[in-house]
Amino acid sequence: MSSTKGKFSFKISVIGDGMVGKTSLIKKFTHGDFQFDYIRTIGAQFSKYVQDIEGDTCILSLWDIAGQDGFFFLRPSFYQASKAAIIVYSLEDNQHGKDSFKHISNWHNDIKKFCGKIPIILLGNKVDLIDKNTLDESKVLKLTRKRDFLGHFITSALTGEGVVEAFQAITSELYYKYKKLSLEFHKINKNK
Ligand SMILES: Nc1nc2c(ncn2[C@@H]2O[C@H](COP(=O)(O)OP(=O)(O)O)[C@@H](O)[C@H]2O)c(=O)[nH]1
Ligand SMILES: [Mg+2]
């Protein structure tokens, strides 16, 4: 974390199988003015997004896997110093959707190896492609509890449903966590 005068920087890794909508979700959240900086050596792209909370500035740096399909283990440099992660799967009622759900645990184990326990939210994306009434959330809620994820959000990068709520949940979690740490840090130093 870098925190001076109410300025916080958070790296958030957005992971999950190819084609689940990671890039589209980031674009939707940042209103399309998403500037990709491509890091060729590790196959990643990221964008900065600035959000003010309670007078402090939070700079989010959203890391996105550039173009790989399926599940594969990422390089440590992709995850390095991530303060949080967003794991995306697809709600599509087909093999791709099912596989992307199955791979959540793999993605989680992968990031845990490099970052330890960090706040993670799970996004079930492409809800616009299914009938919401047929959605059975019991399995995913069990997984959310078991893996101690911060929450599960149903999203659509197409309609925008749930997108802002999801990104804001992770941002405010980080903000309050690091704000508290920074206040404690200043208190300790003042008393020295
Ligand atoms: N209907 C629908 N299509 C989506 C949604 N999100 C992404 N897509 C489409 O799914 C494909 C893969 O999206 P992309 O963001 O590139 O996935 P990524 O590989 O995870 O980054 C693209 O054709 C997107 O237009 C969504 O919420 N609803
Ligand atoms: Mg992508």
Side-chain angles (χ1 to χ4, degrees), residues 17-24 125-126 128-129 155-158:
D17 281 9
M19 298 298 285
V20 293
K22 300 178 295 297
T23 305
S24 307
N125 190 42
K126 305 200 187 185
D128 59 283
L129 292 180
T155 60
S156 167
L158 190 73

Side-chain angles (χ1 to χ4, degrees), residues 14-27 45 64-69 88 90 92 96 124-129 155-161 163:
V14 183
I15 53 179
D17 281 9
M19 298 298 285
V20 293
K22 300 178 295 297
T23 305
S24 307
L25 283 163
I26 297 169
K27 273 188 181 157
Q45 49 200 3
D64 185 22
I65 310 162
Q68 292 90 353
D69 272 327
V88 186
S90 172
E92 277 168 294
H96 175 246
N125 190 42
K126 305 200 187 185
V127 66
D128 59 283
L129 292 180
T155 60
S156 167
L158 190 73
T159 66
E161 180 176 346
V163 176

